[in-house]
Amino acid sequence: MTRRHFLDRVGRLGLAGLGGAAVLAGCGGEAASDASRTVRVTPTTDGAPPVARLHPKGNRMRFQETTLVAPPATAVTLVFENTASRPSMQHNVVLLREPPTQALFQRVGEAAARAPDHVPDLPVVLAATPLSRPGETVSVTFTTPSAPGDYGYVCTYPGHWVTMQGTLRVEAAGQRKESASGRTTMSP
């Protein structure tokens, strides 16, 4: 089966259509930690949108940073640096207006397989970067939702939606804070 045929089938059928765990075992290549990082957006003092940077996790179909925390109703420039080295590891970042669920990622991912530039024309799409090849950097400036809560983001290159997912956490200042140990605690 060619890679293109594989990605097309995964994009249309999801992992269940190809044997689930066996597919994931062959999709990364290198041994890499499953630990993820959180990116915290802090408003700038000069009025320019703050910049949040995301990366792929090597040549795996995963984001290195799986949580992006930002204040509500804030303009943010999202920069995606595609540090992958394999030519097949093209990626984008599609930010969504709904909480992250597997059903949402599947709906968006399957619609993207047939869409121009792999970005579906759905009301749930908040913003999207262009598709990036390995070594390319792309960006998009968007305004975070005004309601605090969790919103999804996903790579919609065919088949990548299955594992390349993240959470945009919109929270007001002082709503939560992360301790040095990485645990999230509520602020008084």
Side-chain angles (χ1 to χ4, degrees), residues 41 43 50 52 68-78 95-97 126-127 141-149 151 168-172:
V41 173
L68 172 61
V69 181
T74 301
V76 174
T77 298
L78 175 67
L95 296 129
L96 306 170
R97 298 177 195 274
L126 173 67
T141 299
F142 69 100
T143 301
T144 60
S146 57
Y151 302 86
L168 166 62
R169 178 161 296 136
V170 175
E171 58 186 44

Side-chain angles (χ1 to χ4, degrees), residues 8 11-12 106-120 156 158:
D8 183 56
R12 283 188 282 133
Q106 181 175 0
R107 179 169 47 110
V108 172
E110 288 176 353
R114 298 173 298 281
D117 299 320
H118 304 295
V119 177
T156 56

Side-chain angles (χ1 to χ4, degrees), residues 98-158:
E98 294 180 12
T101 65
Q102 200 59 30
L104 172 66
F105 293 139
Q106 181 175 0
R107 179 169 47 110
V108 172
E110 288 176 353
R114 298 173 298 281
D117 299 320
H118 304 295
V119 177
D121 184 19
L122 297 173
V124 71
V125 174
L126 173 67
T129 67
L131 197 62
S132 65
R133 291 186 168 96
E136 290 182 336
T137 297
V138 293
S139 65
V140 64
T141 299
F142 69 100
T143 301
T144 60
S146 57
D150 287 349
Y151 302 86
Y153 63 86
V154 61
C155 174
T156 56
Y157 188 75

Side-chain angles (χ1 to χ4, degrees), residues 47-106:
V51 174
R53 295 184 185 280
L54 298 179
H55 308 85
K57 189 177 272 190
N59 283 314
R60 296 174 69 190
M61 293 187 300
R62 294 191 180 278
F63 287 109
Q64 183 172 318
E65 300 85 5
T66 57
T67 305
L68 172 61
V69 181
T74 301
V76 174
T77 298
L78 175 67
V79 175
F80 181 75
E81 299 172 1
N82 191 347
T83 55
S85 59
R86 290 189 184 152
S88 59
M89 289 291 112
Q90 296 181 48
H91 301 298
N92 65 2
V93 182
V94 177
L95 296 129
L96 306 170
R97 298 177 195 274
E98 294 180 12
T101 65
Q102 200 59 30
L104 172 66
F105 293 139
Q106 181 175 0

